Amino acid sequence: MQSLLRNILFALLLFPLFSAAQQREDNDGLESDPEMVTSWTALVRPTFSNPLTAYYRFVDDAGKYIFELKASAGGVPFIVTQGAKLELALENGNTVTLYNKKWQRACAGCGSKGPIADIPGVNLQFDLDKEDIDALAGSYLGHIGLHLTDNVLGGRPTLRRTETFREQADHFLYCVEHR
């Protein structure tokens, strides 16, 4: 009886290893690359002159590069149209211009990274190409501007956030190049 229990326990311990090996064989010896995503990071906070709060992250979805932005405007609901322009002005004088992928109306909590926030906001996605990533990794961010139908939400990140943004862009570029 003891040997039967020992054999069952041994089989249960080996099952995860067998299933992982089988999964690799099913992929013709190649492990599938999971989506690479950086963590949500604060980009700008509201000021007296502009109510924009924004968080960002970089996504590599099997070679498709995306810049995601969660944005809110001080509790005021707003709409971001498909193709709305996001300008990332860099300190070297260049500007990276990205275009929103789909129309969105601000919804409760959508512009925050907190699970219980109810401030209206949006979660936007912008396609990136390799040149955009190179530019973002090659200079510090000076200003962000999200063009809405009737105004522009924008702001200047703090020095610490600017450094963090460049570090994340540089790390994302490294991961893209060495994947």
Side-chain angles (χ1 to χ4, degrees):
M1 182 68 161
Q2 237 179 359
S3 72
L4 177 63
L5 287 175
R6 191 175 358 181
N7 288 342
I8 292 172
L9 183 60
F10 185 70
L12 289 174
L13 290 173
L14 287 180
F15 181 74
L17 296 174
F18 175 74
S19 65
Q22 184 67 35
Q23 183 178 9
R24 279 192 292 272
E25 286 176 19
D26 291 344
N27 291 331
D28 296 328
L30 300 174
E31 292 185 34
S32 63
D33 282 338
E35 177 179 73
M36 188 196 75
V37 179
T38 63
S39 60
W40 285 107
T41 306
L43 184 58
V44 290
R45 296 287 192 183
T47 63
F48 289 115
S49 61
N50 203 316
L52 178 67
T53 299
Y55 301 94
Y56 70 94
R57 70 180 182 176
F58 295 97
V59 178
D60 176 355
D61 187 8
K64 183 177 178 189
Y65 311 124
I66 301 168
F67 180 74
E68 290 188 358
L69 186 75
K70 288 184 177 225
S72 62
V76 177
F78 59 98
I79 293 173
V80 181
T81 60
Q82 181 176 358
K85 187 168 43 171
L86 175 69
E87 291 182 330
L88 301 170
L90 306 176
E91 289 187 351
N92 66 4
N94 294 335
T95 300
V96 174
T97 303
L98 307 173
Y99 298 93
N100 182 39
K101 291 173 72 168
K102 65 179 186 173
W103 185 94
Q104 287 188 39
R105 177 187 307 269
C107 60
C110 295
S112 175
K113 67 178 197 171
I116 58 172
D118 60 353
I119 295 174
V122 292
N123 188 355
L124 306 173
Q125 292 187 344
F126 304 88
D127 287 330
L128 288 171
D129 56 28
K130 176 83 169 44
E131 293 78 27
D132 295 330
I133 302 167
D134 286 333
L136 295 174
S139 183
Y140 291 99
L141 181 63
H143 188 270
I144 176 176
L146 176 62
H147 293 256
L148 304 176
T149 307
D150 51 356
N151 67 351
V152 177
L153 295 175
R156 295 190 181 281
T158 63
L159 179 60
R160 181 178 56 83
R161 289 195 177 112
T162 298
E163 290 173 347
T164 301
F165 183 84
R166 183 169 180 186
E167 287 171 5
Q168 282 205 356
D170 191 45
H171 176 72
F172 186 70
L173 177 63
Y174 176 83
C175 293
V176 164
E177 289 177 339
H178 293 92
R179 216 163 149 125

